Amino acid sequence: MPNDLPLQSPDSHRSISHREKSPRVYGIIPAAGVGARMEASCPKQYLMLTTHTILEETLAVFQKSERLDGLYVGIAKEDPYFVLPEKQSFDQADLDCTAPHRIAIYRTEGGESRAETVFNAMDFILKSAKAVSESEHEAVLKSWALVHDAARPGLSSTELDQFIAAVLTDNHPYGGIMALPAQDTIKKVGANNTIEKTLNRDHIWLAQTPQMMPFELLYTLLAKCLKENAPVTDEASVLEYNERFPKVYRGYTHNFKITYPGDLELMRLHFKGRERCE
């Protein structure tokens, strides 16, 4: 059965010393896509959401996390919009991120697909660790990778940390993903948009991100999928393709992905409502 996220993380305000005793978690945000369905003049992650872009708001959530040990953003090689250099934190960037625990952002090279972009980031992390020492390389292999869509800025850092805590506590061998149970009636549609049948929604969940898996497992299976040109669309499908099945953790309605112009307006409303409550 899918697991509900805890309403409150018992150690959400843990100290740095507590963090150092926990398994490492590396955040990866693939942001090399163009977002064609948005029909905008630039990739959708660079559209203004508030006074900052969608990508900046997503990165801010991750920078405020108390449970991440690094943040890696996969950017297309010729991307003219991303302003951070190869290694820089938002201490030097124009974004209001005043949390006490900030982490540096590293730019990694995006690929032709989401899978390739995530793999490149993981490969960068591993090679950087190996350059330090063999023990550091081994530590990364024993860590966790957490992947999140650049166009899902709606999560709070608290919700992110609660998800990480839940996955680490369960310690499932194949990790877990955020998702929502289907609420509407689900129709299977065939040619000419004709309904074929109604599906049982009792076991239908709509996948979200973050998706969090053991680092070495995801890295190995991503390499296999890329070699075999497997039709994978997210990290969970990478594991599914290889007969490994992660857990599902109940996500949030405001954690939707900005895909169409209407989604952008809805997310702006969510941010305005959240500001009024703060």
Side-chain angles (χ1 to χ4, degrees):
M1 293 291 293
N3 292 344
D4 285 343
L5 287 172
L7 294 179
Q8 184 175 10
S9 172
D11 59 349
S12 61
H13 300 289
R14 63 183 179 168
S15 66
I16 293 297
S17 61
H18 190 167
R19 181 205 289 208
E20 290 171 350
K21 295 177 183 178
S22 300
R24 295 185 190 180
V25 181
Y26 293 97
I28 299 170
I29 299 180
V34 297
R37 287 174 289 183
M38 184 63 74
E39 298 181 350
S41 59
C42 66
K44 66 181 177 184
Q45 59 267 31
Y46 299 113
L47 294 174
M48 298 304 294
L49 178 59
T50 55
T51 55
H52 301 291
T53 66
I54 294 170
L55 179 57
E56 285 176 326
E57 293 290 359
T58 300
L59 293 177
V61 172
F62 277 66
Q63 280 229 296
K64 293 173 185 175
S65 170
E66 296 185 355
R67 291 182 173 268
L68 291 177
D69 294 271
L71 181 55
Y72 300 80
V73 189
I75 302 294
K77 188 175 182 179
E78 304 300 328
D79 187 318
Y81 302 98
F82 192 74
V83 296
L84 293 181
E86 291 297 319
K87 178 181 177 182
Q88 179 182 351
S89 78
F90 270 140
D91 288 333
Q92 292 82 37
D94 181 23
L95 185 63
D96 181 19
C97 183
T98 57
H101 305 302
R102 297 183 182 184
I103 55 174
I105 295 175
Y106 296 81
R107 174 176 178 166
T108 58
E109 188 171 321
E112 293 297 318
S113 65
R114 175 195 180 98
E116 187 177 351
T117 297
V118 173
F119 179 83
N120 287 350
M122 298 182 77
D123 196 53
F124 176 86
I125 297 169
L126 273 176
K127 288 178 179 176
S128 299
K130 196 171 185 64
V132 174
S133 68
E134 192 61 37
S135 61
E136 184 67 13
H137 182 258
E138 289 298 317
V140 171
L141 287 175
K142 295 177 182 177
S143 69
W144 292 76
L146 181 144
V147 185
H148 187 64
D149 294 331
R152 291 186 193 267
L155 278 183
S156 70
S157 56
T158 299
E159 291 164 347
L160 171 63
D161 285 349
Q162 287 173 350
F163 170 74
I164 295 172
V167 176
L168 291 178
T169 298
D170 285 347
N171 198 30
H172 189 277
Y174 307 134
I177 74 168
M178 266 195 196
L180 282 178
Q183 295 180 333
D184 297 324
T185 300
I186 307 298
K187 303 291 186 181
K188 184 174 184 288
V189 177
N192 301 318
N193 288 340
T194 302
I195 295 173
E196 293 184 352
K197 64 177 179 178
T198 299
L199 302 179
N200 183 351
R201 69 183 176 196
D202 290 347
H203 302 288
I204 302 294
W205 284 63
L206 310 179
Q208 298 183 334
T209 64
Q211 302 194 3
M212 181 171 158
M213 289 87 184
F215 193 103
E216 184 174 15
L217 175 69
L218 181 58
Y219 180 78
T220 301
L221 296 185
L222 269 172
K224 180 175 180 288
C225 285
L226 288 170
K227 183 178 180 180
E228 297 177 4
N229 197 28
V232 295
T233 55
D234 63 0
E235 292 63 51
S237 64
V238 169
L239 269 67
E240 294 160 30
Y241 178 81
N242 291 278
E243 298 297 316
R244 274 86 162 179
F245 303 100
K247 282 193 169 186
V248 170
Y249 296 79
R250 190 183 183 94
Y252 303 89
T253 54
H254 55 263
N255 185 32
F256 60 88
K257 186 176 182 180
I258 298 174
T259 305
Y260 298 101
D263 300 330
L264 183 58
E265 294 304 317
L266 190 60
M267 186 60 74
R268 283 174 178 154
L269 288 174
H270 168 65
F271 268 73
K272 288 178 181 178
R274 193 162 68 184
E275 287 173 4
R276 287 196 293 269
C277 293
E278 291 176 349

